[in-house]
Amino acid sequence: MILPKSNRLTTEQLQEVTAIVTEFGCKIQPIVGAVRSIYAIVGDERDELMINRLEGLAYVERIDRIQSPFKLMDKRSDLASHRINLGGVTLGEELFVIAGVCTIDPKNPNYFYESAAAIKEAGANMLRGGVWKPRTNPYSFQGDVKSLDILMEGSRRTGLPVDTEVMEEGHIKLALDAGVTALQVGARNALNYSLLRAIGRAIAERDTAVLLKRSIHMGPINEFISAAEYIAAFGNPNVILCPRGTAPTLDGYRNHPDESITPLLKEKTWAPVVVDPSHSVGKAAYVPACALAAVAYGADGLCIESHVSPSHGIGDDPKQALTPEVLADTIAQAKQLWAIRRGVKVV
Ligand code: PEP
Ligand code: MN
C-alpha cells in the first residue's frame, strides 16, 4: 500500500508508480477517499527492489507492508479509519438497522409498501426486500424483476435507502441502475468469487455498499474476510460483514446462530458487522433474543426480516418475519443495549 505525502497522487505520479510496479508484475489499485486516497499494490509486493524504488520517491510518505491475506480489510490497514455511511448514518456511530420482507410479492405490492412504512416507523435505517431469490427448491418462487420497481417505490415513499440480493452479473447492473444503495451477497454466493469480482468491478467508482453474508461453508474467519477483500480489491471498500447462522444446525434453530463471531472478526478487520438474526434462528419468536445477543457481542447493526402480515409473505416471512410492533420493541431494546455497550448512560 502506497501512502502519498499529499492527499492524493497527481496523474504523473500515479503513472510513475504504476510503471514501477508493472516491472515487477504488480498493479496499482487506487482507493479513493473523500479526503485522502491510498494506493494498493495488487500482486506479490514482497520484492525488496520494488519497495526500495517506491520508497525513494519524494512524494511517497511510506509503503505500508502488512503481511496479511486481506491487506485492505485488515485492521492494521490504512483503511481502518474508513467509515461507511448509508443514508446519513455512519456505521459504528449508531446502531444501524436494516429491516424488510424476505421476498417482495410482485402480485401484492401493497404488502411491501405497508411493511416499508411500518418498518420506517419502527426505527429502521434501511429497507430490505428480495427481488431475486436463491431457493432450495427449483419449483419455489424464484423472484421477479418487477419487484425491483416495487422496492424502489418503497424507498421513495419512505425515504429509506434499500438493500437487495444479487445472484448473477445481470442483476448487478439492474440493481445499480435502479438506485439500490447496498447489494446483498447471499450465504449461497459468498464463496462465488466470480460474482464477488463482478460486484467489486461494478461498484469500484461508486459509493454503493455490499452486505456480504457469511456462507455456511466458510470455516476459518479468514475465509469470510478474504471474500470481502475480493470486492474491496477493485477500489470500493464499503463491505459490511453479515453473519447469518452457520452449519451444523443447532437443533430447533434454522442454522447455528453465530452472533458471537463479532469479536473474532473485529480482532482482524475494521469492516463493520451487521448480524442477521432472522436467518440465524429461523423462527420469529427467537429473533429478538438473537438480535440482542448480537448487539451484546459488538455488532454494528442488525438485518431483520419484518412484514406487516407475516403469514401473507411469500418467502421466509411466515416463519421468521417479525411484525412491525415486535420489530419496534426489538430495535428500541437493541439501541439501549448498544448505548450501554458503548458506555453511554441511558435513562
Ligand atoms: C435472505 O436474506 O432472504 C436470504 C436468502 O439470506 P441468506 O443468503 O443468508 O440465506
Ligand atoms: Mn429470507
Side-chain angles (χ1 to χ4, degrees):
M1 186 97 73
I2 302 171
L3 287 99
K5 282 190 179 145
S6 56
N7 291 349
R8 58 200 65 209
L9 295 177
T10 64
T11 312
E12 293 72 32
Q13 291 167 346
L14 182 56
Q15 275 166 0
E16 188 175 16
V17 296
T18 304
I20 293 173
V21 303
T22 306
E23 278 181 46
F24 296 89
C26 295
K27 287 196 292 194
I28 293 288
Q29 177 58 63
I31 312 281
V32 181
V35 181
R36 188 160 205 264
S37 295
I38 53 180
Y39 301 81
I41 304 168
V42 185
D44 188 354
E45 53 164 349
R46 282 170 300 180
D47 199 308
E48 284 303 320
L49 199 56
M50 175 176 78
I51 299 297
N52 286 348
R53 281 183 50 197
L54 292 170
E55 279 176 341
L57 298 170
Y59 49 84
V60 168
E61 169 80 32
R62 68 186 162 89
I63 306 294
D64 190 348
R65 276 197 278 177
I66 52 164
Q67 289 306 322
S68 168
F70 27 85
K71 39 188 142 181
L72 302 176
M73 302 311 288
D74 195 292
K75 203 177 162 182
R76 294 163 296 167
S77 150
D78 279 278
L79 274 171
S81 57
H82 177 71
R83 293 285 171 267
I84 302 178
N85 185 290
L86 296 173
V89 179
T90 301
L91 274 82
E93 287 181 5
E94 61 181 274
L95 184 77
F96 186 77
V97 182
I98 306 171
V101 306
C102 173
T103 307
I104 296 173
D105 180 351
K107 295 205 179 98
N108 296 291
N110 280 338
Y111 279 126
F112 184 69
Y113 300 142
E114 286 167 25
S115 300
I119 282 160
K120 178 176 182 166
E121 188 66 28
N125 308 98
M126 180 177 253
L127 194 57
R128 62 154 282 158
V131 172
W132 302 283
K133 296 303 297 182
R135 302 303 298 273
T136 309
N137 188 323
Y139 306 115
S140 302
F141 178 65
Q142 304 285 313
D144 188 331
V145 67
K146 286 192 210 102
S147 299
L148 190 55
D149 291 337
I150 301 170
L151 178 70
M152 296 320 297
E153 178 59 19
S155 173
R156 271 187 290 278
R157 290 189 188 191
T158 55
L160 292 176
V162 288
D163 154 59
T164 201
E165 176 166 355
V166 289
M167 298 195 304
E168 50 194 71
E169 227 172 312
H171 298 163
I172 302 170
K173 184 169 168 20
L174 288 169
L176 292 178
D177 288 350
V180 167
T181 298
L183 302 178
Q184 182 171 310
V185 177
R188 293 161 186 78
N189 270 315
L191 288 165
N192 178 346
Y193 298 123
S194 48
L195 182 69
L196 299 178
R197 272 200 211 94
I199 291 175
R201 220 176 282 122
I203 65 167
E205 310 277 317
R206 300 169 166 261
D207 58 7
T208 311
V210 176
L211 184 72
L212 176 67
K213 298 271 194 116
R214 179 168 182 235
S215 161
I216 60 166
H217 301 295
M218 279 175 180
I221 300 280
N222 285 10
E223 262 186 89
F224 194 12
I225 305 172
S226 294
E229 182 87 6
Y230 262 91
I231 298 167
F234 287 89
N236 177 342
N238 289 342
V239 188
I240 301 162
L241 301 175
C242 182
R244 45 75 74 201
T246 188
T249 55
L250 183 58
D251 203 14
Y253 291 144
R254 179 172 174 176
N255 287 296
H256 188 107
D258 55 353
E259 73 282 325
S260 57
I261 199 176
T262 305
L264 306 179
L265 291 169
K266 297 263 178 195
E267 267 180 32
K268 296 192 166 190
T269 179
W270 58 266
V273 178
V274 166
V275 172
D276 171 349
S278 304
H279 293 84
S280 296
V281 296
K283 208 166 167 185
Y286 307 146
V287 170
C290 184
L292 294 178
V295 174
Y297 271 110
D300 300 291
L302 297 165
C303 177
I304 305 178
E305 288 189 344
S306 177
H307 192 291
V308 269
S309 177
S311 63
H312 287 97
I314 60 167
D316 297 323
D317 304 296
K319 286 189 188 144
Q320 68 192 33
L322 301 186
T323 61
E325 295 73 32
V326 178
L327 177 72
D329 286 347
T330 305
I331 294 177
Q333 289 176 11
K335 285 195 167 168
Q336 286 186 35
L337 187 54
W338 196 87
I340 292 168
R341 204 192 76 210
R342 297 278 296 216
V344 177
K345 201 168 175 297
V346 274
V347 279

